[in-house]
């Protein structure tokens, strides 16, 4: 019993050391500040979970390390591709037929499958994130949060809490590649309303302000009207098919695409 108590204490100390990486931040003056109460509760809960789950994760990592060379053996990959190709040849036409002809029948199944897939993906991502490997991978992200003035005030007792609008505007990507990815996600989510003819329009009313805020945060410096275009596209009926966010990205990054750059140059010369 004494050795088991010492083992438990050792595990707790390891967990506390790991949580200590994010348990305290620094304000502008360099003073150490604790997490806000709600995030402290989450931190304490994660500590309890990691103490219980770390031995299991260590065994899983050990097993994966033993099987990794087998999984990624080039001959195994060739065999898997040979098995997958005939299945794809059969599955693609069947899938196209099901979507085009039997959409009213398969639509509920597709929605339920999509929801279950998203839930399963979220659970798997959470399990990876709380594993020792996941915590090591997230350490650079934690450090970047602790060095960011707005996010420090969001998570730590380092001054007035920033508003949700300020957090969204601050967190919007500035790199064009990440902006394009966000725009594609915004347009895809906005178009989902076509899958739910009645409920979808109600979803648009809630989604429109968020899309407008994100588009404003990314494109206000080059195209102030982008956010209003995105808001109108989501609020007006039968306009969700228009990829307003992606079009705004193309407008603001036309110099990065040779064809658009040439068209823009020709237009300027014509004027």
């Amino acid at each position: 019993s004494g050795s088991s108590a010492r083992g438990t204490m050792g595990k707790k100390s390891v967990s506390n050391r790991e949580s200590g990486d994010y348990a305290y931040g620094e304000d502008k003056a360099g003073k150490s500040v604790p997490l806000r109460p709600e995030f402290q509760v989450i931190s304490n809960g994660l500590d309890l979970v990691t103490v219980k789950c770390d031995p299991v994760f260590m065994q899983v990592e050990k097993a994966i390390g033993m099987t990794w060379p087998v999984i990624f053996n080039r001959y195994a990959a060739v065999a898997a591709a040979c098995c997958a190709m005939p299945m794809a040849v059969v599955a693609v036409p069947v899938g196209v037929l099901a979507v085009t002809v039997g959409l009213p029948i398969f639509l509920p199944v597709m929605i339920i499958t999509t929801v279950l897939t998203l839930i399963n993906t979220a659970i798997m991502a959470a399990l990876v994130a709380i594993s020792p490997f996941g915590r090591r991978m997230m350490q650079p992200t934690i450090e970047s949060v602790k060095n960011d003035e707005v996010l420090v005030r969001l998570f730590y007792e380092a001054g007035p809490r920033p508003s949700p609008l300020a957090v969204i505007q601050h967190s919007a990507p500035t790199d064009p590649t990440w902006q394009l990815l966000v725009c594609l996600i915004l347009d895809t989510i906005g178009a989902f309303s076509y899958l739910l003819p009645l409920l979808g329009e109600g979803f648009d009313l809630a989604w429109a302000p968020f899309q407008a805020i994100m588009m404003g945060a990314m494109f206000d410096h080059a195209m102030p009207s982008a956010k209003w275009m995105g808001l109108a596209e989501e609020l007006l009926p039968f306009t969700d098919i228009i990829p307003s966010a992606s079009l705004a990205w193309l407008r603001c990054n036309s110099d990065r695409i040779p064809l658009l750059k040439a068209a823009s140059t020709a237009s300027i010369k014509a004027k």
Side-chain angles (χ1 to χ4, degrees), residues 183 215 219 223 226 229 243-253:
C183 289
M215 291 179 64
F219 304 126
M223 187 180 176
M229 182 176 69
S244 57
S246 299
L247 291 175
W249 184 90
L250 287 174
R251 174 64 179 81
C252 295
N253 294 276

Side-chain angles (χ1 to χ4, degrees), residues 64-254:
I64 291 177
M66 294 169 60
T67 58
W68 200 262
V70 178
I71 295 173
F72 286 91
N73 183 283
R74 59 181 177 179
Y75 300 109
V78 171
C82 292
C83 294
M85 287 177 63
M87 294 175 61
V89 171
V90 175
V92 169
V94 172
V96 172
L97 181 64
V99 170
T100 54
V101 178
L103 183 59
I105 300 174
F106 290 103
L107 181 59
V109 177
M110 292 171 58
I111 294 175
I112 294 173
T113 302
T114 302
V115 171
L116 292 177
T117 302
L118 292 175
I119 293 174
N120 182 66
T121 303
I123 293 174
M124 294 299 296
L127 290 174
V128 172
I130 65 174
S131 68
F133 171 78
R135 297 200 297 272
R136 291 193 297 270
M137 293 296 293
M138 290 177 62
Q139 192 59 40
T141 304
I142 294 173
E143 291 300 324
S144 66
V145 169
K146 293 172 67 175
N147 292 326
D148 189 288
E149 179 185 350
V150 174
L151 296 182
V152 164
R153 289 193 289 113
L154 175 65
F155 292 106
Y156 296 93
E157 299 280 1
R161 190 193 301 267
S163 66
L165 178 60
V167 173
I168 293 174
Q169 292 176 335
H170 177 76
S171 302
T174 56
D175 181 77
T177 303
W178 286 108
Q179 286 182 343
L180 176 60
L181 178 61
V182 171
C183 289
L184 293 173
I185 293 173
L186 292 175
D187 288 332
T188 301
I189 295 176
F192 276 165
S193 61
Y194 284 115
L195 297 177
L196 302 171
L198 296 178
L199 298 178
E201 297 303 324
F203 171 77
D204 284 344
L205 294 177
W207 179 251
F210 178 79
Q211 175 161 324
I213 292 171
M214 284 298 298
M215 291 179 64
M218 291 188 292
F219 304 126
D220 262 354
H221 65 286
M223 187 180 176
S225 61
K227 56 180 177 292
W228 304 116
M229 182 176 69
L231 183 67
E233 179 257 314
E234 287 297 326
L235 291 179
L236 294 176
F238 311 116
T239 57
D240 289 342
I241 195 64
I242 300 174
S244 57
S246 299
L247 291 175
W249 184 90
L250 287 174
R251 174 64 179 81
C252 295
N253 294 276
S254 58

